[in-house]
Amino acid sequence: MKIRINHIVSAIFGRRFKRENSVVSNFTNVQQLRKIMPALLGGYLSESELPNSLLLLSPPPEHNSDLFELDLEHTRKALEFKDNERFLQATRDADLSFPFAVKSFESIIGIGISESRTPKLYVMMRRVMTDAGLSTYAAKNHYKRERPFMVNNQKTCTPDQENILYKVGSFPSGHAAVGWAWSLVLVKLFPEKEKEILKRGHDFGESRVICNAHWDSDVKMGRVMGQAAVDCLWTNSDFLTDWNSVEVEVQQVLNSSSR
């Protein structure tokens, strides 16, 4: 049965890939990515400084492999969440527009992240998103992996975005990279909330499987790229300058809240 399932899926992939491959878009820099995210800020890392996902990651699972069978199983289980609260959370996590994108972290860290209240942290989170997201595109552009909804013909949690998702490779997950990068930055600012912050960052990526927009292996490797992007940021002078200002800003907000 397992061999037959993989055979059927491989056949579906083969037919659909030939039909859709010509419309897959390549993105390598901020200017190109603004075609689908017009409000995107420039990141801290130059193109040459970004970690290269094509070099760092192994290829996505082959269609007839045990690893791909695991991807299929995760997706089958994820479809059971449709129309419940976890599916609604996945819908919220799909929105990378600011200030909405970071709202789910606010209740954990105990302060709002906004342009008016924490402008330095607000801008830093937007720029970190750009770097983490762009770090995934070397592999996305190369493998052009199809997404679960293109195989199982089930809706995603964001049907209005499916036309865009068709054009962007699935492996690795940019959302997972972004969510994990945010959590790695925030734990440095709020170390006493480390467990909760990392769980939120992890779940942010898991939402992409629940959404039927990514495979489990996409999400796992997205986290690898989120970590790689943050590692690069800690060697970037512009980021470090902003980091010092953000630490002061956050401490001032915390002090004012405790009075």
Side-chain angles (χ1 to χ4, degrees):
M1 178 61 71
K2 175 179 171 182
I3 293 174
R4 177 166 176 75
I5 290 173
N6 281 329
H7 175 75
I8 293 171
V9 171
S10 295
I12 293 171
F13 260 82
R15 290 197 303 271
R16 296 182 69 97
F17 187 81
K18 291 176 182 177
R19 184 169 70 249
E20 302 291 348
N21 185 38
S22 61
V23 300
V24 174
S25 298
N26 288 346
F27 300 99
T28 60
N29 56 47
V30 175
Q31 290 72 28
Q32 293 171 342
L33 203 53
R34 282 181 181 143
K35 294 177 183 178
I36 58 174
M37 298 180 70
L40 195 67
L41 288 186
Y44 292 99
L45 303 173
S46 67
E47 287 185 53
S48 62
E49 293 172 327
L50 282 169
N52 188 319
S53 53
L54 187 58
L55 297 179
L56 290 175
L57 304 179
S58 298
E62 296 285 347
H63 303 156
N64 60 349
S65 67
D66 289 340
L67 289 177
F68 186 64
E69 179 61 28
L70 287 174
D71 274 344
L72 290 171
E73 181 61 25
H74 278 286
T75 297
R76 283 192 289 266
K77 290 180 179 179
L79 291 174
E80 298 173 5
F81 286 99
K82 277 200 168 183
D83 302 321
N84 68 12
E85 176 56 33
R86 186 64 186 87
F87 189 77
L88 294 176
Q89 182 61 56
T91 304
R92 292 189 288 269
D93 288 341
D95 189 348
L96 292 180
S97 64
F98 271 73
F100 187 83
V102 290
K103 287 292 182 185
S104 63
F105 286 94
E106 291 181 344
S107 62
I108 298 172
I109 63 177
I111 66 172
I113 303 174
S114 69
E115 198 168 11
S116 58
R117 183 165 173 76
T118 54
K120 297 183 187 303
L121 176 60
Y122 182 82
V123 169
M124 187 180 73
M125 294 288 277
R126 292 182 68 183
R127 296 184 70 182
V128 168
M129 178 180 76
T130 299
D131 289 327
L134 277 175
S135 75
T136 66
Y137 273 87
K140 281 180 177 290
N141 295 338
H142 179 79
Y143 295 114
K144 297 177 171 60
R145 190 185 194 189
E146 289 196 319
R147 296 168 183 269
F149 76 91
M150 299 163 69
V151 174
N152 57 34
N153 294 314
Q154 298 293 315
K155 289 291 186 181
T156 68
C157 66
T158 54
D160 59 317
Q161 295 179 12
E162 287 176 14
N163 286 338
I164 293 175
L165 294 177
Y166 266 111
K167 299 177 182 179
V168 181
S170 186
F171 179 88
S173 167
H175 277 74
V178 169
W180 195 239
W182 280 340
S183 68
L184 294 176
V185 168
L186 289 174
V187 295
K188 296 291 187 181
L189 292 168
F190 305 91
E192 73 282 1
K193 301 291 182 62
E194 178 178 4
K195 182 178 179 180
E196 296 89 344
I197 292 171
L198 292 179
K199 184 179 187 306
R200 176 81 279 266
H202 177 275
D203 290 350
F204 195 92
E206 290 299 297
S207 285
R208 301 308 286 163
V209 181
I210 302 297
C211 188
N212 199 33
H214 276 288
W215 306 101
D216 180 64
S217 56
D218 299 340
V219 169
K220 285 184 169 63
M221 293 302 102
R223 293 192 193 104
V224 171
M225 294 314 302
Q227 175 74 68
V230 171
D231 288 345
C232 290
L233 288 172
W234 288 117
T235 67
N236 181 274
S237 59
D238 290 340
F239 175 78
L240 293 175
T241 298
D242 279 2
W243 177 261
N244 292 333
S245 299
V246 167
E247 281 190 307
V248 172
E249 177 181 79
V250 167
Q251 192 57 54
Q252 289 175 339
V253 172
L254 291 174
N255 289 343
S256 65
S257 299
S258 62
R259 291 172 186 168

